[in-house]
Amino acid sequence: MSKSIGKFLGAGSASTSPYGSEKSILRYLNNYDTSQTDAANANMAAQANILSSNLSNRPDYIYSVSGSDEAAKRVENATYQNAINKITPQFEAQRQALESRLQNQGLSVGSAAYQNAMSNLYTQQNNAYQQAAFDSISAGQNAYANSLNNQISAANFQNNARNLPITEIMNLLQNSKSGYDVNMDKYAVRNKMDARISKNTTDNTNAQQDLGWNVINYGMRTLFSDAELKENIIEVGRLYNGLKVYLYTYKGETTPQIGLLAQDVATQNPQAVYIDDSGFFKVNYALACQ
């Protein structure tokens, strides 16, 4: 068979067994202790199940906050009252001073000039009161925003503190392999190894087949195989059908050859041997290798 000749001649030598590096990786993974990591993951999974079933009722997590309306009201009232306490005595003093000045000018209380002067003063006083009201509302809004920000900061701090143990555990586990991780790594190594071995096996078979047919069709079929023409004959192997394969040189030449002896082939498959016009035996390798 052509494949047996190609295999004998060394065709298709790609490895069809695990490499040493593949064996080392698998040996390392097989000996990797994942018990502690698996136990930690199991504990975390159990805790996660408990937490997930009770998310809406957890007192230790803060999901919403709001600012303090009472704080805003207190600041608003205090700001307004503080402004009034300053404005009222100031305008009272201004009113008394204006009345004295108008009387000194000879303007009676009911005169138009007197009324205009007092009206202007009251307008200034009302504007001051309105500004005090606006300022107090703004102060109350700022107080509400500050209280809201404080609540948010406190909630974030509490929630982050609650998550610290989980974060610490995850950091400790990040470089540790679980049983699942190890099995997936072994699967990846074996999958690549199996694919390589399968490809090498196919490549080897094709290479052996191709070389065998090339030898039969282009080389050895035309060579004389008569033992009388050869010397330095050494048996180096056998074909699958039992025929001996020899290393030899033709008489008068120094180039080593590999092939069969016509006399051997004739005893097993006479149809594969014929006599050339020169009177020496030749072998039809296509028949001899069947």
Side-chain angles (χ1 to χ4, degrees):
M1 297 173 63
S2 61
K3 176 182 175 182
S4 63
I5 294 177
K7 181 177 181 180
F8 175 77
L9 293 177
S13 59
S15 175
T16 55
S17 60
Y19 289 144
S21 58
E22 295 167 338
K23 292 180 180 178
S24 296
I25 293 174
L26 291 175
R27 184 166 56 250
Y28 169 78
L29 293 174
N30 285 329
N31 293 328
Y32 193 97
D33 183 7
T34 65
S35 58
Q36 292 184 347
T37 301
D38 292 339
N41 284 332
N43 291 337
M44 291 184 67
Q47 184 66 18
N49 182 56
I50 296 173
L51 297 180
S52 65
S53 64
N54 197 35
L55 284 178
S56 60
N57 299 319
R58 298 197 63 201
D60 49 350
Y61 271 108
I62 299 176
Y63 296 98
S64 64
V65 295
S66 61
S68 173
D69 291 327
E70 292 182 0
K73 193 65 177 177
R74 286 196 302 269
V75 171
E76 182 178 335
N77 291 338
T79 302
Y80 183 76
Q81 189 60 49
N82 183 57
I84 295 302
N85 291 340
K86 292 180 180 179
I87 293 173
T88 299
Q90 290 176 357
F91 275 99
E92 179 60 24
Q94 290 177 5
R95 185 188 63 78
Q96 293 177 1
L98 178 60
E99 287 179 346
S100 297
R101 186 171 68 255
L102 292 175
Q103 290 176 1
N104 292 335
Q105 292 176 355
L107 297 175
S108 63
V109 175
S111 65
Y114 184 94
Q115 294 297 329
N116 287 337
M118 293 303 295
S119 177
N120 290 335
L121 178 62
Y122 291 143
T123 298
Q124 294 177 16
Q125 185 178 14
N126 288 334
N127 289 340
Y129 285 148
Q130 289 180 3
Q131 186 61 49
F134 291 146
D135 291 343
S136 65
I137 292 173
S138 178
Q141 291 175 340
N142 289 336
Y144 182 88
N146 289 335
S147 68
L148 178 60
N149 289 333
N150 291 337
Q151 290 293 323
I152 292 174
S153 297
N156 287 337
F157 177 83
Q158 180 172 327
N159 290 344
N160 289 336
R162 178 65 180 81
N163 285 327
L164 279 177
I166 297 176
T167 302
E168 291 176 0
I169 293 173
M170 294 300 296
N171 289 336
L172 290 172
L173 291 177
Q174 64 180 351
N175 293 322
S176 301
K177 288 183 178 294
S178 67
Y180 172 82
D181 296 330
V182 169
N183 283 328
M184 291 305 295
D185 288 344
K186 288 195 290 188
Y187 170 79
V189 173
R190 287 169 176 161
N191 190 49
K192 291 181 179 179
M193 180 177 68
D194 290 343
R196 177 186 60 75
I197 290 176
S198 177
K199 181 178 182 303
N200 287 351
T201 299
T202 301
D203 291 345
N204 288 347
T205 300
N206 292 338
Q208 293 164 7
Q209 190 78 27
D210 292 344
L211 181 59
W213 282 115
N214 288 339
V215 169
I216 291 173
N217 293 328
Y218 303 110
M220 299 177 81
R221 184 179 61 185
T222 63
L223 296 177
F224 286 102
S225 296
D226 197 315
E228 296 295 327
L229 301 175
K230 302 174 181 179
E231 60 184 359
N232 302 319
I233 301 173
I234 301 173
E235 181 182 341
V236 294
R238 290 177 180 268
L239 296 181
Y240 288 156
N241 60 11
L243 283 174
K244 297 179 180 179
V245 179
Y246 299 92
L247 178 68
Y248 59 86
T249 58
Y250 285 109
K251 293 180 179 179
E253 297 183 2
T254 59
T255 302
Q257 306 286 343
I258 290 179
L260 307 173
L261 292 182
Q263 284 77 359
D264 290 348
V265 177
T267 61
Q268 180 171 318
N269 189 358
Q271 295 180 348
V273 179
Y274 63 97
I275 299 176
D276 186 75
D277 293 340
S278 61
F280 293 102
F281 289 114
K282 278 189 173 183
V283 172
N284 184 330
Y285 276 83
L287 296 176
C289 295
Q290 289 181 349

